[in-house]
Amino acid sequence: MTYAELFSEIKGMLADADVSHVEEHLAYQFNITGEGEGIFYAEIKEGKLYVEPYEYFDRDVIFTCSADTLLKIMAGKKDPVLAFTLGQLKVEGSIEKALKLKELVKDRK
């Protein structure tokens, strides 16, 4: 899977996430390693979700993992906390805000 294919798939998976109830600003950067290597970010701002193929310097959290791990997390097939515990997901930044990723994935329509 190429980076472009991965980004397109993840953006599509997040497109139906209901973030209207999220009142705070959240900015996640995803560093993908291995196949499909690249960087993109997801930002929730004023109740809207933006997913863009860029590095985001004002981020709250950086997630680093393989494309396979991220796809499984986004599909709800892998718990992000378990992936972190198993060393499949690295997290830098606010752990409190990182844990909200699980809610974001769960709140997809």
Side-chain angles (χ1 to χ4, degrees), residues 32-98:
I32 308 305
T33 60
E35 183 181 358
E37 182 176 343
I39 295 173
F40 68 92
Y41 75 89
E43 176 184 31
I44 300 171
K45 183 176 172 181
E46 299 172 1
K48 294 185 180 177
L49 175 65
Y50 304 90
V51 182
E52 299 296 335
Y54 313 112
E55 190 166 359
Y56 192 87
F57 293 103
D58 192 22
R59 62 206 168 227
D60 299 307
V61 183
I62 299 173
F63 295 104
T64 303
C65 63
S66 70
D68 183 59
T69 296
L70 183 58
L71 286 169
K72 286 178 181 175
I73 289 170
M74 293 299 177
K77 295 179 180 176
K78 182 173 289 238
D79 183 275
V81 175
L82 177 62
F84 174 79
T85 304
L86 296 173
Q88 298 169 340
L89 176 67
K90 293 180 184 172
V91 180
E92 296 175 48
S94 169
I95 296 300
E96 180 183 339
K97 290 189 176 189

Side-chain angles (χ1 to χ4, degrees), residues 6-30:
L6 171 68
F7 176 74
S8 179
E9 188 164 343
I10 295 294
K11 188 170 183 171
M13 293 171 97
L14 290 174
D16 61 355
D18 179 14
V19 298
S20 60
H21 64 285
V22 179
E23 295 181 15
E24 66 185 306
H25 176 261
L26 296 173
Y28 299 129
Q29 179 172 307
F30 296 88

